[in-house]
Structure formats: C-alpha cells, structure tokens
C-alpha cells in the first residue's frame, strides 16, 4: 500500500492549503476547501459549523465494508497569526505559514485516505478530522472539546498528525495560563498622603514572585523521567503608574506547567492556597484567572496503538522510534485523557513552526504518509 503514496499530490495539496490564510479562529474558508478535497477522494464529509461558525469542524469518513476499529487521523487547520512570505516550493521543500504546523501533516492524512480508498476493502472506518481553534492564546481546543464532550464523537484510536517525527512521544506536560491581579481598596494616592501600613500591591506581588521561586526550587528536585520538572513561569509584571504614587494594583502573567501524575485540579488548588497565604500576610486582595490550555498526556509505549505506530515507523525507515517526552502541549490529551480514546502523536518533521520562515520537505510528507498507512495495516492485521 505504501508504494501508492504520491509525492506530487502531497506537495500540491500542502501548497494549496497554505495558500488560504487561516489564523486561529478564522478557518472557515480553508475548512471548506479541505472538505472539498476529502469529498473528491470519495470520503463522506460532514462540516460542523453550528457551534463554531468561524472555525467549522471537518470530518471525513471512509467505511471499510467489514467490522473493525474506527481510526482517526487528526489535525488543526489554524495557524499562528504571524505574517509569512507568500507560499512557494523550492528544491523539494514547501514554504509558507502552516506548512509544518500543520497543513502539510493534514495533506498526509488526505493522501493516506486516498490510498486506502484506492486499495479498497479494509475493516472498520478511517476518519480524517480537522479543527480550527488549536493555537493558543486564540484557541484552547474549544472545538475539539465540544466535539468529544457534547457532540458525542467516538473513535477507537487516534493519530494526532504532529510532533514525534523521529521520537515516540510517550508523555507531555499539562499547561495553564495564569493572570494574577493583586490590589488594595481605594484610589492611587501620593506616597506621603497614604495611611501608614496600607497594603502595597507591588510589595505583595513581590511576595508572590518569591513564593513562586521557592516552589519552583522544590519542583526542580522532582524530575519526571520523560518531561523533566514542573514550572511556574512569569512573563509579565505590570504595576504602578508614577514614581511617587502609591499604586492600587499589580498584575502578574505567566504559565504553570505540570507533569503526568499531577493534574489541572491539583495545580489550581495549590496555586490558590499559595496566593491566599500571600493575601493574608500582606492585606492585599489577590484574584486568580487560571485557564487550562491542555491537560498533560502519557501513553504506555507498549500499548497496542503505540506498538503499531512504532512498528510502522520501523517498517518504513528501518530505524527504531525512540521513546521520549516533550514539554509542549497538543491535542492527544483531549482524546486520551477524559474521553479514554487511545491517541498517539506522529508527523512529518518540518521547520520553523511559529517562526519567520516555515517549511516542510516533501520527502517528510511522503515518509509520514507511509508511516500512517503501515500503522493502519498493523491495526487492521
Ligand atoms: Zn500544531
């Protein structure tokens, strides 16, 4: 089956998909194009636009004719909203925003389905799924969460078609963004006209920063074997507006990342306890806006889906796919976590995701497509 993979089709479809701009939250045009391409290869296609009209969910289905598992190839059609030079192909490499992250990988999913359709009989169902609210901060996978939790989407196995081009991603961290507002009552006042002992929001924010540093030191001692240690990170501090005015507010913005074994609820509780301590000590009010981006993820490398993918990679490349963990988050967490649908990551290796110049080699698109096809063959065997 892998001999049927067509490099020119992969190149052309990737170029076509990246030629339609689709920043997070604005993917309707490319979603309809993607749906047409799935229809053309003979898939039954649904475009779900009732819940998220600006980012329709595209679901293409190929039914095999006998009983078997429903296997999903999943990806996102949105890209980061960072300008890029017009798309081109040069020396066997496709350039453009979204080539690597991840319209190229979605082209691989289409080509996989095309080959499966051409070959004919297979057990179960092959599904290509594409969403449009992946990249934070514009998206947090709200559409995928809706599809799985409210729309009742079901499947038996999922390959998320990004990450892990030359490693088996057995774990990744969970991520939440945090915005902390430290305040005192009343208006900003002259430094000398403010009652002695008034709670000082910047001083209190300093106590929060110290508490994060102390907790980070403890966390650094606990290394998860695949993803390393958990972190508190602050990227922004805003407070005060004039050198001798007593401020009313200070705002801290950052991230909290946690390892498998921990979870969002526990992270939320820990952070609220920490902030309550500083509020009590300083007399300032502290508000927390903590938002989940993705839960953490972990899969047993000897799970049948894992071994199918790892075996497929070996079939195609002759090399082993070494087990590893990554710190960044992605969508397998949605399927694999609370929905209980086993999910793995694998995609073509591109360059410059979120960077100024983004690209994917056509040879990598071909390789990844072959790995998907061999994974399917192994799951069907
Ligand atoms: Zn991506």
């Amino acid at each position: 089956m892998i001999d049927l993979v067509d490099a020119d089709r992969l190149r052309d479809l990737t170029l076509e998909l990246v030629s339609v701009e689709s920043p997070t939250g604005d993917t309707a045009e490319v979603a309809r194009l993607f749906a047409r391409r799935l229809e053309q290869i003979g898939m039954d296609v649904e475009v779900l636009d009732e819940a998220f009209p600006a980012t329709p969910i595209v679901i293409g289905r190929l039914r095999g004719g006998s009983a078997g598992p429903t296997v999903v190839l999943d990806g996102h059609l949105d890209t980061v909203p960072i300008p890029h030079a017009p798309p081109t192909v040069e020396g066997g490499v496709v350039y453009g925003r979204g080539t690597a992250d991840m319209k190229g990988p979605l082209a691989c999913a289409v080509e996989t389905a095309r080959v499966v359709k051409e070959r004919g009989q297979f057990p179960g169902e092959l599904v290509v799924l594409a969403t449009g609210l992946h990249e934070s901060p514009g998206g947090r996978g709200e559409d995928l969460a809706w599809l799985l939790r409210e729309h009742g989407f079901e499947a038996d196995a999922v390959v998320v078609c990004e990450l892990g081009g030359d490693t088996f991603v057995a774990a990744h961290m969970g991520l939440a963004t945090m915005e902390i507002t430290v305040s005192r009552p009343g208006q900003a006042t002259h430094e000398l006209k403010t009652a002695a002992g008034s709670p000082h929001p910047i001083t209190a924010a300093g106590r929060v920063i110290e508490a994060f540093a102390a907790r980070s030191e403890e966390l650094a001692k606990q290394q998860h074997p695949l993803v390393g240690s958990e972190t508190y990170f602050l990227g922004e501090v805003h407070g005060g507006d004039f050198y001798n005015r007593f401020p009313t507010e200070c705002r801290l913005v950052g991230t909290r990342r946690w390892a498998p074994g921990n979870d969002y609820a526990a992270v939320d509780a820990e952070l609220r306890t920490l902030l309550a301590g500083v509020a009590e000590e300083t007399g300032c009010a502290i508000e927390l806006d903590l938002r989940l981006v993705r839960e953490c993820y972990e899969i047993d490398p000897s799970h049948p889906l894992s071994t199918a993918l790892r075996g497929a990679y070996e079939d195609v490349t002759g090399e082993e796919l070494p087990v590893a963990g990554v710190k960044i988050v992605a969508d397998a967490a949605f399927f694999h976590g609370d929905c209980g649908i086993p999910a793995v990551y694998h995609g073509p290796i591109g360059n410059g995701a979120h960077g100024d110049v983004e690209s994917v080699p056509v040879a990598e698109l071909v390789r990844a497509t072959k790995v998907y096809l061999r994974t399917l063959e192994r799951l069907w065997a």
Side-chain angles (χ1 to χ4, degrees):
M1 199 155 69
I2 63 174
D3 301 330
L4 299 173
V5 174
D6 187 326
D8 292 351
R9 280 176 170 272
L10 282 163
R11 178 200 61 205
D12 294 348
L13 182 55
T14 300
L15 188 66
E16 187 182 27
L17 292 173
V18 300
S19 299
V20 180
E21 283 183 25
S22 57
T24 303
D26 183 13
T27 59
E29 191 186 347
V30 79
R32 289 182 209 288
L33 169 67
F34 191 70
R36 283 200 299 280
R37 295 296 167 259
L38 292 177
E39 267 162 13
Q40 276 172 354
I41 60 166
M43 295 190 108
D44 287 335
V45 181
E46 267 182 289
V47 178
L48 304 177
D49 58 5
E50 69 267 39
F52 300 94
T55 57
I57 298 167
V58 183
I59 305 172
R61 291 179 190 275
L62 213 54
R63 293 179 183 90
S66 56
T70 297
V71 183
V72 179
L73 298 174
D74 166 72
H76 60 88
L77 284 164
D78 59 312
T79 71
V80 289
I82 301 167
H84 194 287
T88 52
V89 181
E90 236 180 271
V93 178
V94 191
Y95 293 86
R97 178 63 67 223
T99 46
D101 185 15
M102 59 173 291
K103 291 172 175 176
L106 277 171
C108 297
V110 177
E111 179 63 5
T112 301
R114 188 194 67 80
V115 172
V116 169
K117 172 79 180 170
E118 194 177 313
R119 203 198 69 150
Q121 253 339 69
F122 66 95
E125 193 173 53
L126 176 62
V127 179
V128 175
L129 169 62
T131 57
L133 284 170
H134 170 87
E135 300 286 357
S136 61
R140 292 162 191 268
E142 296 90 338
D143 47 356
L144 191 51
W146 172 84
L147 184 75
L148 291 167
R149 291 169 195 161
E150 286 169 56
H151 193 69
F153 181 88
E154 284 178 11
D156 298 303
V158 178
V159 179
V160 175
C161 300
E162 65 177 343
L163 307 183
D166 54 7
T167 56
F168 178 75
V169 178
H172 68 59
M173 285 193 147
L175 168 66
T177 54
M178 57 181 176
E179 183 160 345
I180 297 158
T181 308
V182 184
S183 62
R184 69 174 177 98
Q187 296 179 345
T189 36
H190 190 288
E191 171 198 351
L192 301 176
K193 297 267 163 62
T194 308
S198 290
H200 197 306
I202 293 178
T203 306
R207 295 289 302 121
V208 173
I209 294 169
E210 283 168 12
F212 282 179
R215 183 71 186 123
S216 294
E217 243 173 72
E218 287 170 20
L219 290 170
K221 290 179 197 142
Q222 303 156 25
Q223 292 280 331
H224 182 280
L226 291 173
V227 299
S229 55
E230 301 190 5
T231 53
Y232 279 88
F233 174 79
L234 285 174
E236 297 176 48
V237 178
H238 305 271
D241 61 1
F242 199 68
Y243 79 105
N244 68 355
R245 260 158 68 88
F246 202 104
T248 57
E249 195 177 288
C250 186
R251 209 161 52 82
L252 308 172
V253 188
T255 64
R256 174 76 167 92
R257 294 178 194 266
W258 61 95
N262 203 351
D263 63 27
Y264 178 68
V267 159
D268 180 72
E270 177 188 297
L271 184 50
R272 284 181 199 281
T273 304
L274 184 154
L275 294 176
V278 176
E280 204 186 322
E281 178 197 332
T282 61
C284 282
I286 305 185
E287 257 177 62
L288 169 66
D289 184 7
L290 185 70
R291 295 186 191 198
L292 178 67
V293 178
R294 297 291 188 284
E295 255 300 350
C296 54
Y297 162 86
E298 190 172 32
I299 191 169
D300 186 341
S302 61
H303 185 282
L305 178 60
S306 309
T307 54
L309 175 69
R310 297 170 71 195
Y313 182 86
E314 261 188 78
D315 293 343
V316 172
T317 66
E319 315 234 339
E320 239 183 78
L321 193 57
V323 173
V326 293
K327 290 192 187 288
I328 58 169
V329 300
D331 286 336
F334 276 122
F335 299 100
H336 195 75
D338 52 347
C339 298
I341 306 171
V344 289
Y345 290 103
H346 193 77
I349 299 173
N351 281 300
H354 301 213
D356 287 341
V357 181
E358 185 174 344
S359 65
V360 68
V362 177
E364 265 302 298
L365 299 174
V366 171
R367 184 200 58 74
T369 307
K370 288 181 174 176
V371 171
Y372 299 152
L373 286 165
R374 285 296 292 147
T375 302
L376 290 171
E377 286 180 325
R378 280 172 169 266
L379 289 172
W380 294 337

Short mmCIF file of all heavy atoms in Angstrom, two decimals, residues 1 26 34 47 53 81 83 105 125 131 134 165 184 217 341 347 351 366:
data_model
loop_
_atom_site.label_atom_id
_atom_site.label_comp_id
_atom_site.label_asym_id
_atom_site.label_seq_id
_atom_site.Cartn_x
_atom_site.Cartn_y
_atom_site.Cartn_z
N MET A 1 0.83 -1.21 0.00
CA MET A 1 0.00 0.00 0.00
C MET A 1 0.87 1.27 0.00
O MET A 1 0.51 2.27 -0.61
CB MET A 1 -0.89 -0.04 1.26
CG MET A 1 -2.07 0.86 1.16
SD MET A 1 -3.50 0.41 2.20
CE MET A 1 -2.94 0.70 3.86
N ASP A 26 -10.29 31.76 12.52
CA ASP A 26 -10.77 32.25 11.23
C ASP A 26 -10.38 31.24 10.14
O ASP A 26 -9.56 31.52 9.27
CB ASP A 26 -10.14 33.63 10.96
CG ASP A 26 -10.63 34.26 9.66
OD1 ASP A 26 -11.62 33.76 9.10
OD2 ASP A 26 -10.00 35.23 9.22
N PHE A 34 -10.74 22.15 2.42
CA PHE A 34 -10.30 20.85 2.92
C PHE A 34 -11.43 19.81 2.75
O PHE A 34 -11.19 18.69 2.30
CB PHE A 34 -9.87 20.98 4.39
CG PHE A 34 -9.16 19.78 4.93
CD1 PHE A 34 -7.88 19.46 4.50
CD2 PHE A 34 -9.76 18.96 5.88
CE1 PHE A 34 -7.21 18.34 5.00
CE2 PHE A 34 -9.10 17.84 6.39
CZ PHE A 34 -7.83 17.53 5.95
N VAL A 47 -19.41 18.92 7.61
CA VAL A 47 -18.80 20.18 8.06
C VAL A 47 -19.69 20.70 9.18
O VAL A 47 -20.82 21.11 8.95
CB VAL A 47 -18.70 21.20 6.91
CG1 VAL A 47 -18.12 22.52 7.42
CG2 VAL A 47 -17.84 20.65 5.77
N PRO A 53 -19.10 28.72 14.13
CA PRO A 53 -19.27 29.05 12.70
C PRO A 53 -17.99 29.58 12.03
O PRO A 53 -17.80 29.35 10.84
CB PRO A 53 -20.35 30.15 12.71
CG PRO A 53 -20.88 30.22 14.09
CD PRO A 53 -20.01 29.44 15.01
N PRO A 81 -1.01 33.48 14.08
CA PRO A 81 -1.33 34.69 13.28
C PRO A 81 -0.09 35.54 13.01
O PRO A 81 -0.11 36.75 13.17
CB PRO A 81 -2.33 35.42 14.18
CG PRO A 81 -1.94 35.05 15.57
CD PRO A 81 -1.37 33.66 15.51
N PRO A 83 2.64 36.91 10.27
CA PRO A 83 2.78 37.04 8.81
C PRO A 83 3.94 36.20 8.26
O PRO A 83 4.91 35.93 8.96
CB PRO A 83 3.07 38.53 8.62
CG PRO A 83 2.63 39.20 9.87
CD PRO A 83 2.76 38.20 10.97
N PRO A 105 0.98 18.12 7.43
CA PRO A 105 0.53 16.87 8.06
C PRO A 105 -0.92 16.52 7.70
O PRO A 105 -1.25 15.33 7.52
CB PRO A 105 0.67 17.17 9.55
CG PRO A 105 1.79 18.16 9.62
CD PRO A 105 1.65 19.01 8.40
N GLU A 125 -13.37 1.75 10.02
CA GLU A 125 -13.60 3.06 9.44
C GLU A 125 -12.33 3.91 9.60
O GLU A 125 -11.67 3.84 10.64
CB GLU A 125 -14.76 3.71 10.21
CG GLU A 125 -15.34 4.92 9.57
CD GLU A 125 -16.59 5.40 10.32
OE1 GLU A 125 -16.51 5.59 11.55
OE2 GLU A 125 -17.62 5.58 9.69
N THR A 131 -9.73 20.59 12.90
CA THR A 131 -10.34 21.63 13.73
C THR A 131 -9.64 22.97 13.48
O THR A 131 -8.66 23.03 12.72
CB THR A 131 -10.25 21.25 15.21
OG1 THR A 131 -8.87 21.04 15.54
CG2 THR A 131 -11.05 20.00 15.52
N HIS A 134 -6.88 25.62 17.64
CA HIS A 134 -5.81 24.90 18.34
C HIS A 134 -4.80 25.83 19.00
O HIS A 134 -4.45 25.66 20.16
CB HIS A 134 -5.08 23.99 17.34
CG HIS A 134 -3.83 23.39 17.90
ND1 HIS A 134 -3.82 22.22 18.63
CD2 HIS A 134 -2.54 23.83 17.88
CE1 HIS A 134 -2.58 21.97 19.01
NE2 HIS A 134 -1.79 22.92 18.57
N GLY A 165 8.19 13.26 14.93
CA GLY A 165 8.63 12.76 13.63
C GLY A 165 9.76 11.76 13.73
O GLY A 165 9.89 10.87 12.89
N ARG A 184 -5.36 46.73 46.24
CA ARG A 184 -5.81 47.24 47.53
C ARG A 184 -7.01 48.14 47.25
O ARG A 184 -7.18 48.63 46.13
CB ARG A 184 -4.69 48.03 48.21
CG ARG A 184 -4.37 49.35 47.50
CD ARG A 184 -3.37 50.15 48.29
NE ARG A 184 -3.00 51.39 47.59
CZ ARG A 184 -3.53 52.57 47.85
NH1 ARG A 184 -4.48 52.71 48.76
NH2 ARG A 184 -3.13 53.64 47.18
N GLU A 217 11.91 25.87 43.08
CA GLU A 217 13.10 25.16 43.56
C GLU A 217 12.74 23.76 44.04
O GLU A 217 13.46 22.80 43.75
CB GLU A 217 13.74 25.95 44.71
CG GLU A 217 15.14 26.44 44.37
CD GLU A 217 15.67 27.36 45.46
OE1 GLU A 217 16.00 26.87 46.55
OE2 GLU A 217 15.71 28.58 45.20
N ILE A 341 -10.01 7.67 24.67
CA ILE A 341 -9.70 7.15 23.33
C ILE A 341 -8.18 7.16 23.18
O ILE A 341 -7.57 8.23 23.23
CB ILE A 341 -10.33 8.03 22.22
CG1 ILE A 341 -11.84 8.19 22.44
CG2 ILE A 341 -10.02 7.45 20.85
CD1 ILE A 341 -12.49 9.22 21.52
N GLY A 347 4.18 12.92 13.13
CA GLY A 347 4.03 13.83 11.99
C GLY A 347 5.32 13.96 11.21
O GLY A 347 6.38 13.51 11.64
N ASN A 351 10.12 22.61 9.59
CA ASN A 351 11.00 23.61 10.20
C ASN A 351 10.24 24.91 10.42
O ASN A 351 9.35 25.26 9.63
CB ASN A 351 12.19 23.91 9.28
CG ASN A 351 13.24 22.84 9.37
OD1 ASN A 351 13.80 22.60 10.45
ND2 ASN A 351 13.49 22.16 8.28
N VAL A 366 5.98 12.44 2.49
CA VAL A 366 5.87 11.07 1.96
C VAL A 366 6.15 10.06 3.08
O VAL A 366 5.40 9.09 3.27
CB VAL A 366 6.87 10.87 0.79
CG1 VAL A 366 6.94 9.40 0.38
CG2 VAL A 366 6.48 11.75 -0.40
#
